[in-house]
Structures are given as C-alpha cells and as structure tokens.
Amino acid sequence: MNRHRTAAAAALLALLLPLPLAAAGTAAAAEAPAAATESRRGAPELPRPTGRFAVGQDTLHLVDRSRTDPWARSGPRELMVTMRYPARRDTGSTARYLTHEEARLLLADRGLDGVVPAGTLAGTVTHSRSGARPVAGKYPLVVLSPGFTVHRSTLTALAEELASRGYVVASVDHAYESVGTAFPGGRVLECLACERTEAGTPMQAVSDNRARDVSFLLDRLTGRDPAWRHSGLIDGNRIAMAGHSIGGAAAAAAMATDPRIRAGIDLDGGLATPVPAAGLGGRPFLLVGADGRAPGGNPSWDRDWPLLDGWKRWITFTGSGHFTFSDFPAIGEGLGLPADPGAPLPGTRSVELTRRYVAAFLDLHLRGTPQPLLDGPSADAPEVRFHTP
C-alpha cells in the first residue's frame, strides 16, 4: 500500500473503528428504497452550510473521446461530476452521500468491512437537494478535486458551503482513481491508478492527468454546447480550483496549463507536479497545510513557494491532520467518536476553519471583496498560523 492509501487508512481507522460490529451488506449501484432507509438510521450529519442560499445538486457523466484512459489503457476518459449551485428553498429531493457499494468499497479498502456498516457511511446526511430549482444569476465556478483513492463526496461540507454562498461548485471523480465510484450502466470503477503508482508510476502522472481532466471539464461546462442544463449560471471569467491532497497538487498543475483558472488552493497536498520556473502567470495561490507542514516540513512546498509569483499565503491549522480538510473528522464527530489523537482539532471546528479560509480566498480573488482575515493571525482563529518562508 503506498503512502497515500496508508494515510487514508489511518485516518478512517481512527475515526471509525470504535463503531459497533455489524455486517456490511452488498448492494447494487442502484439502491432499493429499503437500503436507503437503512442508510439513514443512525447516520451522521454534516455541518449545515452558513450561506443565504439553499444548495441544489445535479450529477454529470462526462466522456472525453479524444483521450484514452491512462489507467485502463483502453476506452475513453470518463468523469463523474457533482454540480452544486445556489437554489430555491423547498425544491428538489434529499441528495445521498454515497451509494451503498461505494461506501462498502471505501470501508473494505481500509480493512473495515464487517466492522462498520456500509449504510452508516453511505447515509451521511447532506444539505443538498437533487434537482432543486436554481436561483437565477451569474456565479463564479469552483472545481474541487478529492484526495487519491477517496470519492468526490469527501469534500461535500466544503462544496455545500460554497454553493450556499453563491458559487457553482463542480466536484470531480477522476475515473479509476478512487477505490470505488459508481458510473452509469451499473459500473463501479475501482482504483487502477493505485496499482500503477504502487508499481512505480510517479504521482506526477496523477496530478498531470487530473489537470487534463479539469480542462476538459471546463470545456464541457463553459463551451458552446455545455453538458450541464444550468450552465448559464456559470460566469466563465471567474473560475478557481481547489483540491485535497493530490487534488491540491492538481490545482497547481491545472493552473500551469489552463489560463481560465484564475486562482488555486492546495489543501495539504504535496506538489507532485512542480510549479513551472516561470510561475503561474501572477495568479493567486493558497497553501493550507496540516500541523507540521510549516516551512521545512513539506519539501515540495519549500521548493515551489518562491515560484508562486502572484498573491500567496501559506497557513496551517494547529491540531490538524491530513484529512482535517475533508468530511472525515466531522463524520467521526457526528458518530460521537473521539478525535484522532494525532489530529485533535474537533470535526466541527475543522469544517468551520476550512470553509472560512477557503471562502475568504475565493471572495477576495473572484469577487474582489477585501478579506482582512487573510492578512494575518486572527484572535477568533488561534489555531491558524501564517508562515512567511
């Protein structure tokens, strides 16, 4: 198991091992109503978004027939994308967190099948409404890319917050890069990229590939024949990308090749694709790291910090770990579990800080709204440290 999967395994074990024993059931990608009911029983709830809008949700399946999938080495490249957007209240239906099979595979990869009910994880309560009616307007677009091996749903709390604040958010699953993602036709694609990286393929191949995925996604969302029915909501002149772990590395890689992306955020991801010597064209970039990721603690950040040639900040959260910036701590807290001793920052606080600093960065650079929060330490956020290498 490579270091990325080991880190993910450790995080989920810390969060979920205290759960009572229960057999994990098997289900098809299309769940029966009984399974859906079971999944809600005793499930945790993600923190509610704080913005003024309700959150709508759609799911897209995109196929890039100009590219052969680099991991399967056959067939076209495919993406699954969750679109979230400002929506009218009391419209649409409750959106699910994961399918039963996606949750089962996620738990099985971490040695927790038969220990944690797949329905408990699958039934995590979200605040998005499938098919909700959008609130008319033009909104900035934020692309979110998850960590290696994990599903796009693991950034749901952040995505819902941004949509509630008036952003369109596209959360991307890159085919064969998670331990299990449902695709149309009853397919659940597993992690062929894991096999390749464990055999020696460098992680740069993952971040470079995601950069190409994101450029294709932007073509399909903002081009002449958009793939999304609500594409008119997107302001194509205000686009940013953020990601967790390798998804954060991919944000920098995508900016290096696609000038449409005006700003980027890396949530504790080593920069597998080095920032070009010429920089990122003066565009802003935010590094948000776990405890211990200060200068000298992340070689790739130390290496590339001088090459970030626009507005930039490097912050860390005291008491955080690699998965602090995902939904995992909040899910564990929602289940009443103790915090990971290696990352004691409470789950609700993890979500609050991540949302606050990501939103401030986006409001500053996509909306031009001054953000004193980003100028230095704040009394109400003593966990946040600013670094000036």
Side-chain angles (χ1 to χ4, degrees):
M1 179 178 287
N2 68 25
R3 67 183 184 278
H4 303 275
R5 299 179 78 185
T6 301
L12 274 180
L13 282 169
L15 289 173
L16 299 174
L17 268 178
L19 284 174
L21 291 176
T26 301
E31 300 178 58
T37 301
E38 175 195 359
S39 70
R40 292 285 175 178
R41 189 176 299 124
E45 180 178 351
L46 293 177
R48 290 185 176 277
T50 65
R52 65 189 183 96
F53 296 108
V55 179
Q57 177 173 315
D58 281 340
T59 301
L60 301 179
H61 171 230
L62 301 180
V63 181
D64 184 355
R65 301 191 183 280
S66 71
R67 296 166 59 204
T68 298
D69 189 277
W71 312 120
R73 297 178 179 170
S74 65
R77 182 65 174 158
E78 297 180 75
L79 306 176
M80 292 301 299
V81 185
T82 299
M83 302 297 303
R84 294 186 177 89
Y85 53 92
R88 298 186 180 278
R89 300 195 179 277
D90 302 320
T91 64
S93 57
T94 302
R96 65 186 177 187
Y97 189 70
L98 289 167
T99 69
H100 195 282
E101 183 67 1
E102 288 169 333
R104 187 190 70 79
L105 287 168
L106 182 61
L107 294 169
D109 182 66
R110 285 132 182 90
L112 296 174
D113 49 328
V115 177
V116 178
T120 300
L121 183 58
T124 297
V125 178
T126 72
H127 303 286
S128 303
R129 304 287 292 180
S130 293
R133 287 190 297 151
V135 175
K138 285 285 187 181
Y139 305 101
L141 171 67
V142 182
V143 177
L144 295 182
S145 182
F148 196 49
T149 80
V150 296
H151 194 277
R152 67 189 185 278
S153 68
T154 57
L155 296 176
T156 294
L158 177 58
E160 291 184 335
E161 176 70 9
L162 296 177
S164 80
R165 288 171 175 249
Y167 290 89
V168 172
V169 184
S171 301
V172 188
D173 251 326
H174 310 264
Y176 300 111
E177 295 180 21
S178 81
V179 295
T181 297
F183 277 74
R187 297 173 297 149
V188 178
L189 302 188
E190 300 185 25
C191 195
L192 296 182
C194 297
E195 299 173 9
R196 305 274 188 258
T197 56
E198 288 170 359
T201 298
M203 290 303 294
Q204 181 173 347
V206 181
S207 57
D208 287 349
N209 187 60
R210 290 194 179 194
R212 289 187 285 271
D213 288 345
V214 170
S215 288
F216 168 69
L217 170 65
L218 296 183
D219 291 343
R220 298 299 290 120
L221 291 179
T222 65
R224 291 184 178 180
D225 184 24
W228 185 40
R229 59 178 175 160
H230 299 312
S231 63
L233 297 173
I234 296 172
D235 181 348
N237 293 315
R238 294 186 291 165
I239 298 173
M241 181 176 173
H244 173 238
S245 194
I246 196 65
M255 288 181 69
T257 58
D258 196 324
R260 292 175 293 185
I261 304 171
R262 287 180 45 181
I265 303 171
D266 181 350
L267 301 173
D268 206 47
L271 293 167
T273 300
V275 173
L280 297 177
R283 287 168 291 169
F285 204 83
L286 175 66
L287 296 169
V288 185
D291 210 353
R293 301 297 199 275
N298 192 317
S300 69
W301 289 14
D302 293 334
R303 179 196 69 206
D304 289 353
W305 174 258
L307 301 175
L308 296 174
D309 56 340
W311 183 104
K312 59 186 176 181
R313 295 289 186 274
W314 180 336
I315 63 175
T316 56
F317 295 173
T318 301
S320 63
H322 185 57
F323 279 85
T324 287
F325 313 101
S326 74
D327 295 344
F328 289 147
I331 289 173
E333 186 174 87
L335 292 169
L337 306 178
D340 178 357
L345 188 66
T348 301
R349 185 62 168 168
S350 298
V351 169
E352 179 186 357
L353 290 175
T354 301
R355 286 172 162 180
R356 186 191 303 183
Y357 281 85
V358 169
F361 174 85
L362 296 171
D363 284 350
L364 174 62
H365 295 294
L366 295 186
R367 288 178 165 149
T369 306
Q371 298 294 323
L373 180 72
L374 299 174
D375 293 338
S378 298
D380 64 347
E383 307 95 331
V384 180
R385 298 179 60 200
F386 283 71
H387 304 283
T388 53

